[in-house]
Amino acid sequence: QVQLAESGGGLVQAGGSLRLSCAASGTILRINTMAWYRQAPGKQRELVASITSSGSTNYVDSVKGRFTISRDNDKNTVYLEMASLKCDDTAVYYCHSAIVIPLIIGARTSNYWGQGPQVTVSS
């Protein structure tokens, strides 16, 4: 019913920039917190950035000042603007959204994940 479609992954040179987007589609009542996670080879998945429905943001220390998360509630889309990319930023980036969907009786909040496009930063 609900799907997250990611785009924007690819190869970029160190110091360059990329912009990721994640659009939610389906029968959606409300989208709460949206976030970007990443997982590098041999490492655990980590939370990169999150943004609440009111626009409050949070970032992992390693990307502060370089990455910017934003959202367009009208389009059910979250973005991650990545600048001054480093080789350490190389990872699979996953979009995550906590989405409230309507039911015949009441509603349900579920976690949805994007497909995780690869971001590769070359030196």
Side-chain angles (χ1 to χ4, degrees):
Q1 183 75 358
V2 176
Q3 293 181 309
L4 300 182
E6 291 187 51
S7 63
L11 175 65
V12 64
Q13 292 184 328
S17 62
L18 283 175
R19 181 176 299 174
L20 306 181
S21 65
C22 176
S25 62
T27 304
I28 299 172
L29 182 63
R30 182 177 67 256
I31 300 180
N32 293 329
T33 300
M34 306 181 78
W36 291 94
Y37 290 76
R38 69 183 180 186
Q39 186 167 23
K43 297 183 178 180
Q44 299 183 40
R45 183 176 299 186
E46 67 172 347
L47 175 63
V48 178
S50 64
I51 182 169
T52 67
S53 59
S54 62
S56 179
T57 60
N58 192 31
Y59 301 89
V60 67
D61 289 341
S62 61
V63 307
K64 288 182 178 178
R66 300 188 298 118
F67 290 11
T68 301
I69 187 171
S70 61
R71 62 189 289 169
D72 185 334
N73 292 329
D74 293 333
K75 298 181 179 180
N76 292 331
T77 301
V78 62
Y79 305 91
L80 184 66
E81 298 179 5
M82 303 180 292
S84 301
L85 284 164
K86 302 159 56 178
C87 291
D88 289 344
D89 296 320
T90 296
V92 176
Y93 283 72
Y94 298 92
C95 171
H96 173 268
S97 294
I99 299 177
V100 181
I101 61 174
L103 303 175
I104 299 299
I105 301 177
R108 178 177 65 202
T109 301
S110 299
N111 296 307
Y112 293 90
W113 293 89
Q115 72 275 19
Q118 174 75 42
V119 172
T120 301
V121 183
S122 62
S123 60

